[in-house]
Amino acid sequence: AQSVTQPDIHITVSEGASLELRCNYSYGATPYLFWYVQSPGQGLQLLLKYFSGDTLVQGIKGFEAEFKRSQSSFNLRKPSVHWSDAAEYFCAVGPYSGGGADGLTFGKGTHLIIQP
Amino acid sequence: DAGVTQSPTHLIKTRGQQVTLRCSPISGHKSVSWYQQVLGQGPQFIFQYYEKEERGRGNFPDRFSARQFPNYSSELNVNALLLGDSALYLCASSLEAPSGVPHFGPGTRLTVT
């Protein structure tokens, strides 16, 4: 069964500092990988996705993520965070490459706190 | 273009009651999925519908059911509500299934007392 692990429940970063959120997945085939962001009381907004090709993907709001097959990781990065980046971040894996319709499997999320 | 819309925004129900949640997908999207997000957890997949047919189902009891209408909107029904059903219910639409990228709505916050 597929699974996603986000090892950090909370991360605190100073405004202007760089950010890296970790994501490890377990999946039997080539995964489709996603990062979503959720502000309090809101739905999920797609930051970026990886389906195939270049392993470094660019997303919205200055975020990027790198797919590393050897480490089963898809870490999210941003060179300089802004106070508005404070939110919950979810990594997810999908089975789309293998067909079927099992939906996305999400990690438990990382809560990002921005210090002034 | 309008995003995914869900109604109602919030509702409170009593144990044992039934509830219906509604979702309208992004225009042109033919697939709708439902997720349950319990406080402090990531979303969990409940159902996926495409072209009015159920294409996938997560590990949820038969108290949960859904359907998709000819206009691609969808309803999620939960019968015999339990306290543990209290959660944010998210609807996501995509152009197709299963390979479309899900775009999520704002969710419906269900509280069961």
Side-chain angles (χ1 to χ4, degrees):
Chain A
Q2 60 211 39
S3 65
V4 176
T5 301
Q6 294 181 247
D8 304 305
I9 298 174
H10 300 276
I11 281 188
T12 302
V13 178
S14 297
E15 190 169 15
S18 64
L19 170 71
E20 182 170 28
L21 303 182
R22 295 183 291 166
C23 172
N24 293 97
Y25 66 90
S26 173
Y27 187 68
T30 301
Y32 284 14
L33 295 159
F34 305 82
W35 275 100
Y36 285 89
V37 61
Q38 185 177 38
S39 298
Q42 303 296 312
L44 300 172
Q45 181 182 23
L46 178 68
L47 286 176
L48 48 78
K49 62 186 184 294
Y50 172 77
F51 281 8
S52 64
D54 192 346
T55 56
L56 184 63
V57 294
Q58 302 297 321
I60 63 171
K61 303 184 179 186
F63 286 93
E64 67 178 26
E66 186 171 12
F67 170 58
K68 293 185 177 180
R69 185 187 300 275
S70 61
Q71 299 177 19
S72 297
S73 69
F74 189 56
N75 294 348
L76 182 71
R77 300 193 294 249
K78 186 170 185 178
S80 177
V81 298
H82 186 261
W83 64 266
S84 60
D85 293 325
E88 194 80 17
Y89 290 79
F90 292 96
C91 180
V93 62
Y96 302 131
S97 61
D102 297 329
L104 295 182
T105 298
F106 284 84
K108 293 187 176 181
T110 296
H111 184 63
L112 176 61
I113 300 167
I114 306 296
Q115 280 184 335
Chain B
D1 285 339
V4 177
T5 58
Q6 294 185 242
S7 63
T9 305
H10 300 86
L11 73 166
I12 300 173
K13 292 287 188 177
T14 303
R15 277 177 298 175
Q17 286 188 317
Q18 176 264 341
V19 68
T20 298
L21 311 181
R22 296 174 175 82
C23 172
S24 292
I26 292 171
S27 178
H29 285 195
K30 298 182 178 180
S31 177
V32 169
S33 300
W34 287 94
Y35 289 78
Q36 181 196 64
Q37 185 179 20
V38 174
L39 195 63
Q41 300 292 318
Q44 276 197 292
F45 172 69
I46 309 175
F47 286 111
Q48 182 180 65
Y49 276 76
Y50 178 67
E51 291 285 11
K52 302 180 289 295
E53 291 188 4
E54 180 182 310
R55 297 300 181 97
R57 184 184 182 115
N59 188 25
F60 279 81
D62 291 343
R63 299 185 295 108
F64 289 76
S65 64
R67 55 180 176 168
Q68 186 178 32
F69 299 98
N71 66 353
Y72 302 109
S73 67
S74 177
E75 287 182 350
L76 175 70
N77 296 284
V78 187
N79 295 321
L81 285 166
L82 304 174
L83 294 179
D85 296 330
S86 296
L88 180 68
Y89 288 85
L90 295 163
C91 174
S93 74
S94 57
L95 276 171
E96 55 195 28
S99 57
V101 176
H103 296 267
F104 285 83
T108 293
R109 173 70 65 185
L110 171 65
T111 302
V112 182
T113 62

